[in-house]
Amino acid sequence: MSATAPHPAAATSDAAVEATFELARELYAAYGVDVDAALETLRGVAISLHCWQGDDVGGFENPDGELGSGLAVTGNFPGKARTPDELRADIDEALRLIPGSHRLNLHAFYAETGAQRVDRNELAVEHFARWIDWAKDAGLGMDFNPTCFAHPLADDGFTLSHRDEKVRQFWIEHCQASREIGAAMGAALGSPCVTNVWIPDGYKDQPVDRLAPRQRLADALDAVFAKPLPPEHNLDAVESKLFGIGSESYVVGSHEFYLGYAASRQKVLCLDAGHFHPTESIAEKISAVMLWVPELLLHVSRGVRWDSDHVVTYTDDLQLIGQEIVRGGFLGRTHIGLDFFDASINRIAAWVIGTRNTLRSVLAALLEPIDRLRELENNGDYTARLALLEQCKALPVGAVWDYHCLRSETPAGLAWLDEVHRYERDVLSQR
Ligand code: RNT
Ligand code: ZN
């Protein structure tokens, strides 16, 4: 368990944060950057927190269920949420430590069906009534996902592209039900729900027919999306993957497959940072795909050697994601979600660290002297472009961030960690 040693950042006074901010604002102004405008924009950026960080992608259907489908969570930090109420309390705690108004991203197998067993194709909005009421009270938007894994009909590695029509139909019905649930959530909360379809389908070893499963998947998706739903309530997204554990040789829903599908059907394309070759960056793809798809969903994650779903840290990769969204003017067309699961550290701290980092990367991008940088590039002065980009790394983003936290009534600096320790002591360790 963690220690509770005092740390200096927690002691920073509000006055010191404000004074440092004033100096930072002046410094940015010298570079032509309007810090207040950046903060105003940042206040409107919502991050979709993934419920599954709180219970190691367990869901509430079957407490002893196997995760499978290429997903793996490692670690056994004490105190994971065992019930929907515990999970909601943990998310509430994380949200208290994150500045801004955000969203909850829920998976279908977090349904609350009481004593009744309801199979996935029969799920309906009433099974999520408590989640929706809670979100309404907390002022959160919600996003949703059909759960096409951790189920006997997903055990052989195929769902929407299964060669058995009956299995395929089951998953089509589950995804159709999920869209209806998403639309009902969107209507209830007055904010469109992004319903994201990810399926694990693929082969461990080399197939001889790569085509037929993809044809079946395209047809199945068309069936899933056949019923028009109002975009102010529900937006459909599709998520690709390069490989998974047990689908190392072939994944039906590859990037090329879904890029073509999303472009031709005008669906939201989901890019997960862990779903590409390790040297590929999803940031680099944003400006390319945005020419062809209406909107983007990001699963901000961190792969370490593979799609390991590590907690998002403040890497170059993350910073480039923030920069590409902001530089392209894509904030209004991008849904920023998180997707990581680490059970080896305090799960609430994992949410707080990953979400705060993601927001801070957007802030850093909003604080770029972008007009000056563009001018240098357009003048062919790549020397000065490089010099200024490097100088930007030395500008005091942290001072602006701390001020933003203070103004948003959330702890600045590392002070949030004290509160996580308190919660660990008073709540998690009692579980
Ligand atoms: C799996 C995908 C997917 C899941 C969640 C739980 O590789 O990234 O988004 O992580 O649906
Ligand atoms: Zn993902």
Side-chain angles (χ1 to χ4, degrees), residues 42-50 95 98-105 140-143 297-298 300 312 318 325 331 334-340 351 354-363 401:
L42 184 66
R43 276 190 283 274
V45 174
I47 307 290
S48 196
L49 258 77
H50 52 317
L95 287 169
I98 297 164
S101 304
H102 300 289
R103 307 177 63 82
L104 177 75
N105 194 7
L140 298 172
M142 281 183 80
D143 298 307
L297 168 63
L298 297 181
V300 183
V312 168
L318 179 68
I325 301 171
L331 271 175
T334 306
H335 307 270
I336 308 176
L338 304 172
D339 188 7
F340 50 80
W351 267 316
T355 314
R356 286 174 68 118
N357 278 333
T358 304
L359 283 166
R360 200 152 52 93
S361 78
V362 174
L363 173 62
W401 170 256

Side-chain angles (χ1 to χ4, degrees), residues 148 159-165 167-176 179 197 199 201 212-227 238 252 257-258 261 265 267:
C148 302
T159 63
L160 283 180
S161 75
H162 206 287
R163 66 171 75 83
D164 179 340
E165 208 253 313
V167 178
R168 223 158 58 231
Q169 187 55 31
F170 173 83
W171 291 111
I172 290 172
E173 288 171 16
H174 173 50
C175 292
Q176 288 170 333
R179 290 179 77 228
V197 176
I199 58 163
D201 302 28
R214 289 185 170 141
Q215 286 168 327
R216 288 194 292 265
L217 177 56
D219 289 345
L221 290 169
D222 284 346
V224 166
F225 300 133
K227 179 174 169 188
V238 286
V252 183
F257 175 89
Y258 279 122
Y261 189 84
R265 284 15 177 215
K267 296 293 178 193

Side-chain angles (χ1 to χ4, degrees), residues 64-400:
D64 310 313
E66 285 260 317
L67 185 50
S69 295
L71 304 173
V73 185
T74 53
N76 56 0
F77 199 89
K80 91 166 171 192
R82 297 158 303 177
T83 64
D85 284 333
E86 287 182 355
L87 185 55
R88 282 188 283 263
D90 291 357
I91 298 164
D92 280 332
E93 172 69 0
L95 287 169
R96 279 192 283 276
L97 304 174
I98 297 164
S101 304
H102 300 289
R103 307 177 63 82
L104 177 75
N105 194 7
L106 196 66
H107 243 285
F109 74 161
Y110 290 83
E112 288 170 90
T113 61
Q116 225 190 333
R117 203 192 108 75
V118 180
D119 210 347
R120 303 249 176 108
N121 59 341
E122 269 150 16
L123 286 171
V125 67
E126 61 262 27
H127 305 122
F128 299 91
R130 296 187 63 198
W131 282 107
I132 296 171
D133 288 347
W134 166 82
K136 205 180 275 174
D137 284 348
L140 298 172
M142 281 183 80
D143 298 307
F144 197 61
N145 307 261
T147 308
C148 302
F149 54 83
H151 187 281
L153 289 182
D155 276 354
D156 66 2
F158 287 85
T159 63
L160 283 180
S161 75
H162 206 287
R163 66 171 75 83
D164 179 340
E165 208 253 313
K166 284 193 293 297
V167 178
R168 223 158 58 231
Q169 187 55 31
F170 173 83
W171 291 111
I172 290 172
E173 288 171 16
H174 173 50
C175 292
Q176 288 170 333
S178 297
R179 290 179 77 228
E180 299 284 353
I181 294 162
M185 284 174 172
L189 299 170
S191 165
C193 170
V194 180
T195 302
N196 176 51
V197 176
W198 172 76
I199 58 163
D201 302 28
Y203 283 117
K204 181 181 180 73
D205 223 330
Q206 298 296 330
V208 295
D209 189 351
R210 293 182 140 79
L211 178 61
R214 289 185 170 141
Q215 286 168 327
R216 288 194 292 265
L217 177 56
D219 289 345
L221 290 169
D222 284 346
V224 166
F225 300 133
K227 179 174 169 188
L229 291 173
E232 61 275 23
H233 297 160
N234 180 74
L235 296 167
D236 301 309
V238 286
E239 178 180 5
S240 68
K241 191 164 180 170
L242 177 68
F243 78 93
I245 299 169
S247 62
E248 290 86 353
S249 303
Y250 170 75
V251 164
V252 183
S254 61
H255 177 55
E256 293 73 9
F257 175 89
Y258 279 122
L259 181 57
Y261 189 84
S264 61
R265 284 15 177 215
Q266 289 297 287
K267 296 293 178 193
V268 179
L269 182 71
C270 174
L271 296 177
D272 182 309
H275 288 192
F276 293 85
H277 292 281
T279 56
E280 266 182 291
S281 145
I282 62 164
E284 206 288 315
K285 300 176 191 304
I286 292 173
S287 59
V289 302
M290 281 307 223
L291 292 175
W292 312 113
V293 299
E295 294 186 17
L296 192 63
L297 168 63
L298 297 181
H299 272 189
V300 183
S301 188
R302 179 168 54 107
V304 176
R305 305 193 189 284
W306 62 288
D307 176 35
S308 53
D309 292 286
H310 279 61
V311 177
V312 168
T313 54
Y314 200 68
T315 58
D316 285 355
D317 263 7
L318 179 68
Q319 292 174 59
L320 193 58
I321 290 171
Q323 287 163 344
E324 283 299 305
I325 301 171
V326 170
R327 291 171 181 172
F330 297 137
L331 271 175
R333 286 167 61 201
T334 306
H335 307 270
I336 308 176
L338 304 172
D339 188 7
F340 50 80
F341 19 96
D342 190 341
S344 73
I345 60 171
N346 182 303
R347 293 173 185 79
I348 292 156
W351 267 316
V352 174
I353 292 168
T355 314
R356 286 174 68 118
N357 278 333
T358 304
L359 283 166
R360 200 152 52 93
S361 78
V362 174
L363 173 62
L366 290 166
L367 292 172
E368 272 193 328
I370 191 63
D371 295 339
R372 181 77 188 123
L373 285 163
R374 275 190 218 287
E375 189 182 306
L376 294 171
E377 185 163 284
N378 290 333
N379 292 340
D381 190 350
Y382 307 142
T383 309
R385 179 186 63 185
L386 179 62
L388 182 52
L389 278 171
E390 290 307 294
Q391 179 58 23
C392 289
K393 295 177 183 169
L395 294 181
V397 179
V400 181

